[in-house]
Amino acid sequence: MEKQLNIGVLISGSGSNLQSILDACSAGKLKARVACVVSNRNDAYGLERARKAGIPALHLDHRAYSGREAYDEALVATLREFEVELVVLAGFMRIITGVLLEAFPMAVMNIHPALLPAFPGLHAQRQALEYGAKVAGCTVHFVDCGTDTGPIIMQSAVPVLEGDTDETLSARIQKEEHRIYPEAIRLYSEGLLAVDGRKVTIGA
Ligand code: GAR
C-alpha cells in the first residue's frame, strides 16, 4: 500500500476544519491519515467527530501542567506515540512554544481566519469588520515562533459585505478554510511544498 502521511490534529472547539480533513482523507483525496486528535478542552465537539471516525481522540488539559513548555512536552510525547509526521493546528487556541516547533521542524501548520499579515491573533474576523476592510479571508501557514507570522502556504479571499456580522463573515471565511486546508495538507503530503525563508513555493 502507498505510504500515507501520519497527521496529528490539535483542536480546541467545534472541529469543522478537522471534519474537512477527515472527509478529504476518506474521499481518498489525501495521501494521509489522521493518526490522532488532541484537544486541550474536554468539551470540544471535534473530539466527538474524531471518535465517530474511529480515530483516537485525546483530551490533554493544559491546566494540569506547570507552563506552556511542560504542556508542549506532553503534546510532543503524545504525537510521537502516534508516529505523527505533520502537526495540524485546527482551531487550537493555545500559543505553542519552541518545544513543539523543534520536535516538528517545518512540520506544524495552522489556519488563521484572516489574510495574514493583516489581523493576527484573536477575533480576526471581528478585527477585519471593525477596521472596515472590504476583503477578508483565511491563511494556511507553517508555524514559527511568532503569533501567526510563519511562511504562508495558501490564502483565499472573500468579500466583506454590507451588513455583515461576525457570524456571517466567519461562515463565509470558513467555507474557504474547509477548501484550502485539506488542499495545503495534500500538497505537503505529496512533497510539493518547498520553503525558502519566508517563501513557500508549490511544485508541479
Ligand atoms: C477557524 O475559523 C480557524 O480559522 C480559527 O478557529 C476556527 C476553528 O474552527 N483559528 C484561529 O482563530 C487561530 N488563531 P473549527 O474548530 O470549526 O475548525
Side-chain angles (χ1 to χ4, degrees):
M1 212 179 100
E2 200 173 18
K3 161 91 178 80
Q4 292 201 313
L5 182 82
N6 270 346
I7 303 175
V9 184
L10 307 189
I11 60 164
S12 298
S14 150
S16 68
N17 278 285
L18 163 69
Q19 190 66 55
S20 72
I21 295 162
L22 291 173
D23 291 348
C25 287
S26 51
K29 290 184 190 156
L30 291 180
K31 290 178 190 162
R33 61 183 276 271
V34 178
C36 65
V37 173
V38 184
S39 172
N40 64 313
R41 295 180 54 118
N42 199 21
D43 59 356
Y45 180 63
L47 288 175
E48 196 55 39
R49 294 182 194 267
R51 285 186 201 109
K52 278 191 192 141
I55 287 159
L58 301 109
H59 171 222
L60 217 53
D61 191 344
H62 57 278
R63 293 168 302 186
Y65 296 85
S66 58
R68 292 191 191 284
E69 298 204 331
Y71 182 67
D72 281 4
E73 274 164 25
L75 276 180
V76 169
T78 303
L79 295 165
R80 291 247 191 271
E81 193 184 321
F82 288 94
E83 299 181 5
V84 165
E85 297 160 286
L86 174 69
V87 182
V88 170
L89 310 184
F92 186 58
M93 304 313 259
R94 301 271 315 155
I95 291 173
I96 63 162
T97 70
V99 170
L100 184 70
L101 296 174
E102 278 155 32
F104 293 94
M106 224 31 106
V108 182
M109 274 186 196
N110 182 42
I111 187 145
H112 182 73
L115 293 174
L116 291 170
F119 313 126
L122 290 176
H123 310 301
Q125 304 92 329
R126 197 185 309 157
Q127 289 186 58
L129 281 174
E130 284 172 1
Y131 198 85
K134 302 289 189 200
V135 178
C138 51
T139 303
V140 178
H141 63 95
F142 285 112
V143 177
D144 66 8
C145 55
T147 301
D148 303 322
T149 53
I152 291 171
I153 301 167
M154 204 171 261
Q155 295 186 298
S156 181
V158 302
V160 179
L161 302 179
E162 252 173 58
D164 256 344
T165 61
D166 213 349
E167 289 70 33
T168 57
L169 179 59
S170 298
R172 196 174 306 123
I173 293 172
Q174 276 226 326
K175 217 168 153 207
E176 288 306 293
E177 293 187 9
H178 300 160
R179 187 176 65 78
I180 69 169
Y181 215 180
E183 177 61 6
I185 294 167
R186 181 187 74 79
L187 293 169
Y188 182 93
S189 71
E190 295 181 16
L192 294 175
L193 297 180
V195 187
D196 180 11
R198 284 214 52 83
K199 303 225 172 97
V200 179
T201 46
I202 301 176

